[in-house]
Amino acid sequence: MKRPVTCDRYHRQTLLEGFGPERQQRLARSHAVVVGLGAVGCPAADLLARAGVGHLTLIDRDLVEFTNLQRQSLFVEADAADALPKAAVAEARLGEANGDIEIISRVADVSQQNIERMLFEGEAGRPDIVVDGSDNFETRYLLNDLAVKHGLPLIYAGAIAWRAMVMPVLPGGACLQSVFGQPPLQRGDTCDTVGVHAPAAAIAGSRAASLALRLLAGFKDEPVLFTFDTATGRATTVPLADARNDECRCCGERRFDFLDGTTRSQSEKLCGTEAVQVNAAGPVDIDLGALAARLSRFGVFQATRFHVRGELSDEHEGIGVTVFADGRAIVRGTSDPVVARGIYARYIGG
């Protein structure tokens, strides 16, 4: 739809006290990355796009499922029925909301091997800020290492059960390890064990977007750890100005264990699903059409420009497999990593 030439989509934003056209121009020149397009990442990405952040990179490894629709506001039933990649759907949907900005999607699982290349070697160049909407400690602490190492502002945001939590990691300030310590060895509570209240996730995503927009526009706010309990309506803020710990391995000693690690789990159970992700042992570039033809001997499979997806019908009947061009696979119908790795080795390759 063609807009009237007199239309200024950002008029109500530039009317804000202290904002104005100059800060709007700063947003237009900015590059923001959202990692994870789930319940928190969806509202964050939506608000950044509509506010006019000029370059937006969206990264997510997952496909849309029906259980996502209760809280992940960028997706609809047709996306789940077709099992489309979240990042690609978000790019298309946000492009319809704001055609004035550049949006790039990456259907990928961030890791030590690819995160620096993915964020710093893209067409949009080095990002000005990263919003963490991921759902696991490994990715959160990987992004934390990246932010501290490169002096890159990071907004951590999460929601679980009835609670939302948001915290900025700013150059020279406290990082996640300073505030929370090392991540727990066990995964702990997740959305598939204790659930998640959609408004709590929306609050976390909105707060993260607000912090990102104010930073990108040039506002200097005192950093705080923000938590909100939607069950009680109670909000708390903890000042972070003096929270940096000189003995922190990350921001104090500058030892980036998660970013510099050379090993990672070959498989992991995905949050909220009976599915296991299996990673390729090394860099690969799969011919999706050829793989679909080969897998069709064992079930019904179809190749798209994003992946090969289908269901096995031999002795593994009831198991679904989705394979991406980088060799990553999601094995559905099991929560056992050993079973998933065996299926990967047999049908896709070691």
Side-chain angles (χ1 to χ4, degrees), residues 234-254:
R234 183 178 299 115
T236 61
T237 57
V238 178
L240 297 174
D242 300 320
R244 186 175 178 274
N245 179 4
D246 290 339
E247 297 181 357
C248 171
R249 287 179 64 85
C250 182
C251 63
E253 300 176 0
R254 297 188 65 79

Side-chain angles (χ1 to χ4, degrees), residues 144 148 167-169 173-180 243-244 248 250-252:
N144 183 71
V148 174
M167 170 185 156
V169 176
C175 77
L176 293 181
Q177 285 199 54
S178 269
V179 176
F180 300 113
R244 186 175 178 274
C248 171
C250 182
C251 63

Side-chain angles (χ1 to χ4, degrees), residues 134-142 183-184 186-189 258:
S134 62
D135 62 1
N136 63 87
F137 287 114
E138 183 179 72
T139 301
R140 292 194 187 285
Y141 277 70
L142 176 65
Q186 300 299 321
R187 187 179 179 93
D189 289 340
F258 293 86

Side-chain angles (χ1 to χ4, degrees), residues 81-317:
D82 293 336
L84 297 178
K86 291 181 179 180
V89 174
E91 177 190 359
R93 202 135 289 146
L94 294 180
E96 294 174 348
N98 191 346
D100 292 342
I101 66 173
E102 178 185 17
I103 306 174
I104 300 171
S105 65
R106 303 197 184 282
V107 182
D109 183 24
V110 297
S111 67
Q112 302 98 327
Q113 289 79 15
N114 66 19
I115 186 62
E116 290 181 291
R117 181 183 73 253
M118 196 177 299
L119 263 64
F120 297 127
E121 297 181 7
E123 297 175 4
R126 174 190 168 100
D128 299 295
I129 201 164
V130 175
V131 175
D132 170 21
S134 62
D135 62 1
N136 63 87
F137 287 114
E138 183 179 72
T139 301
R140 292 194 187 285
Y141 277 70
L142 176 65
L143 293 174
N144 183 71
D145 275 7
L146 180 86
V148 174
K149 178 180 178 180
H150 293 280
L152 181 65
L154 168 71
I155 309 297
Y156 152 70
I160 192 72
W162 302 95
R163 303 182 304 278
M165 181 178 293
V166 183
M167 170 185 156
V169 176
L170 304 180
C175 77
L176 293 181
Q177 285 199 54
S178 269
V179 176
F180 300 113
Q182 288 285 331
L185 295 177
Q186 300 299 321
R187 187 179 179 93
D189 289 340
T190 66
C191 59
D192 55 339
T193 60
V194 299
V196 60
H197 188 44
I203 289 170
S206 297
R207 170 73 177 179
S210 178
L211 289 178
L213 290 170
R214 287 182 63 82
L215 282 166
L216 293 174
F219 290 98
K220 305 295 183 182
D221 301 323
E222 289 295 322
V224 299
L225 170 63
F226 168 84
T227 61
F228 187 82
D229 187 333
T230 59
T232 63
R234 183 178 299 115
T236 61
T237 57
V238 178
L240 297 174
D242 300 320
R244 186 175 178 274
N245 179 4
D246 290 339
E247 297 181 357
C248 171
R249 287 179 64 85
C250 182
C251 63
E253 300 176 0
R254 297 188 65 79
R255 298 170 65 177
F256 307 118
D257 299 331
F258 293 86
L259 188 60
D260 295 338
T262 57
T263 61
R264 70 182 297 220
S265 173
Q266 189 183 358
S267 59
E268 61 177 299
K269 185 181 183 303
L270 297 181
C271 177
T273 65
E274 189 182 17
V276 176
Q277 175 174 283
V278 181
N279 303 303
V284 297
D285 186 9
I286 291 179
D287 182 328
L288 296 177
L291 178 63
R294 178 159 58 86
L295 290 179
S296 293
R297 292 179 294 162
F298 309 104
V300 179
F301 286 84
Q302 183 178 7
T304 73
R305 64 190 181 96
F306 302 114
H307 51 55
V308 171
R309 180 178 172 86
E311 307 287 334
L312 296 170
S313 58
D314 57 2
E315 66 264 36
H316 290 110
E317 184 175 2

